[in-house]
Amino acid sequence: MKRLLLLLLLAASGAMAAPRVGTHDGYTRVVFDLPRQTTPSTKVSGQGVTVKLGVTLRAEQGRLNAPGVTAYAVVGGTVTVTLALGHASAKVNVIPPRDGQPARLVIDVPTGTAAARVPATPTAVSRPASTAGPVRPRVVLDPGHGGVDPGMQSRWVQEHAVTLDVALRVRDVLRQHGVDVVMTRESNTDLSADKATDLDLRSKMANNRNTSAYVSIHVNASTSPAGQGIETYYFGRPLAGANSVALRENGGGSVGQELTRRAANSAQNLLGDLLAQAKLAFSRQLAQKVQAHLIGATGAVNRGVQTDAFYVIRSPTTAAILIEIGFGSSPVEGPRLAQPAYRDRLAQAIARAILDFLNMK
């Protein structure tokens, strides 16, 4: 009985969040049913349209296969529609309930040369979105460590050198496909000798409205020669005890413990932040794509997609992940990571995954 009542309440509140999508001459229309009339607040930035509503919808997300749009996410009273490359404008309206139909959120995304013919929809409230020209997607690449912190070191490799080489290769591929790439470092340097400040500055480089993804690249290590494989992380609660890779990547020792503690507190706070949950959903999608491409390209042991409290990806306002591209301490993977050809294979896989995430060929 309680379950039935809950379902009725969800239906009455307009909880069905999946949109209807229609393709028309010159525009694609995305429609969400609403439980009642509301006043939206609209923002178009980077590759997304974000609409804040005064009503709550069921949390949901998915891909959209129509011109101009690639995905949607609904979290609480916030609806986000991801735009395809080359599309940076939209018209957003709320149609009041009439003729037995509920109130509806209508997002029209202009397509092709007929963009100017997007029709006006009768609305109670309408806020025009940005009419700025197309914006190149921006990706921030963070080669882990550097400067006073070389990262892990073995007889085969030093982390700071491997991560920089791979990141530069990823950068070159992305730029060839029209992506605007920002590097947190392009040589063996740091942004600050203080670890917390260094990670803060790296993280803040992703806090830009045009940034589509933040990717931090690292090399793993283990006290066991058997430790090997590739794993990809997005931000979340830390793994238990010594199993937390974040402890080492956050600086190790007492510094790493303190920064991991701070990041873990942030992870706990995210549980109640609906906008942050939407960001984490996109981070998970990016992590899954990167992990799949890397394993497919290298045949390495698949250690999967996980969450941990990495300080450097705790606060970016976009999809943010951290990749451990292999174990430099492994007698199998250490020599591989020392080879330029293998590093290039890693970089190609990471770049292809990012392009896939951006819906670019």
Side-chain angles (χ1 to χ4, degrees):
M1 184 64 181
K2 288 183 178 180
R3 178 177 177 81
L4 176 60
L5 178 60
L6 177 60
L7 291 174
L8 290 174
L9 287 172
L10 288 173
S13 65
M16 297 304 294
R20 299 184 299 280
V21 181
T23 301
H24 306 275
D25 183 19
Y27 68 98
T28 291
R29 173 165 290 178
V30 184
V31 181
F32 296 83
D33 286 339
L34 303 177
R36 59 179 173 80
Q37 178 68 22
T38 184
T39 301
S41 172
T42 303
K43 179 180 180 182
V44 179
S45 62
Q47 291 296 118
V49 180
T50 301
V51 183
K52 294 185 179 180
L53 302 164
V55 297
T56 300
L57 304 180
R58 187 181 68 190
E60 193 167 324
Q61 64 179 0
R63 298 186 68 83
L64 298 176
N65 296 312
V69 295
T70 62
Y72 75 94
V74 180
V75 181
T78 300
V79 173
T80 301
V81 172
T82 304
L83 302 178
L85 179 67
H87 297 76
S89 64
K91 291 186 178 181
V92 178
N93 303 286
V94 168
I95 302 177
R98 65 170 180 259
D99 300 328
Q101 294 195 52
R104 284 155 288 162
L105 168 65
V106 177
I107 302 175
D108 287 333
V109 178
T111 58
T113 58
R117 300 203 300 270
V118 176
T121 306
T123 65
V125 178
S126 175
R127 292 194 181 189
S130 168
T131 57
V135 177
R136 293 171 62 197
R138 174 175 294 170
V139 172
V140 177
L141 297 178
D142 172 44
H145 305 276
V148 298
D149 178 14
M152 73 77 54
Q153 300 181 71
S154 71
R155 57 183 292 192
W156 301 284
V157 293
Q158 292 189 334
E159 184 172 6
H160 73 89
V162 175
T163 59
L164 179 59
D165 185 45
V166 172
L168 290 173
R169 293 171 187 268
V170 175
R171 178 201 64 183
D172 292 345
V173 176
L174 293 180
R175 285 181 175 173
Q176 289 171 7
H177 287 78
V179 178
D180 178 20
V181 181
V182 175
M183 301 285 293
T184 62
R185 66 181 181 95
E186 294 186 295
S187 61
N188 184 19
T189 58
D190 47 47
L191 302 185
S192 172
D194 176 72
K195 190 64 178 180
T197 303
D198 179 64
L199 295 179
D200 264 329
L201 292 172
R202 292 176 190 243
S203 177
K204 288 177 180 177
M205 292 180 72
N207 294 338
N208 180 291
R209 66 177 185 171
N210 294 329
T211 301
S212 301
Y214 181 98
V215 178
S216 188
I217 301 172
H218 291 258
V219 175
N220 219 331
S222 173
T223 56
S224 170
Q228 59 178 293
I230 294 173
E231 53 197 3
T232 306
Y233 291 86
Y234 61 100
F235 187 71
R237 288 178 172 175
L239 301 174
N243 291 326
S244 175
V245 179
L247 279 172
R248 178 172 58 80
E249 300 297 8
N250 289 342
S254 60
V255 172
Q257 290 178 355
E258 172 60 19
L259 296 186
T260 302
R261 183 191 65 77
R262 293 186 203 173
N265 289 339
S266 297
Q268 181 63 36
N269 293 336
L270 290 182
L271 296 177
D273 188 330
L274 296 177
L275 290 177
Q277 288 180 35
K279 184 205 79 172
L280 292 178
F282 285 111
S283 297
R284 181 172 60 251
Q285 290 179 15
L286 176 58
Q288 290 168 343
K289 290 181 182 294
V290 167
Q291 183 71 12
H293 277 76
L294 280 170
I295 297 304
T298 65
V301 174
N302 186 356
R303 297 174 66 89
V305 172
Q306 306 179 57
T307 64
D308 207 342
F310 292 99
Y311 200 75
V312 74
I313 58 172
R314 81 194 187 288
S315 62
T317 55
T318 186
I321 63 171
L322 185 146
I323 315 166
E324 297 283 356
I325 58 175
F327 281 72
S329 56
S330 164
V332 174
E333 291 184 333
R336 287 179 183 170
L337 290 168
Q339 298 172 5
Y342 187 75
R343 295 180 187 180
D344 193 61
R345 197 187 311 171
L346 291 167
Q348 292 285 340
I350 295 170
R352 288 310 320 171
I354 294 172
L355 291 170
D356 187 19
F357 177 76
L358 297 175
N359 289 282
M360 299 174 65
K361 294 182 179 180

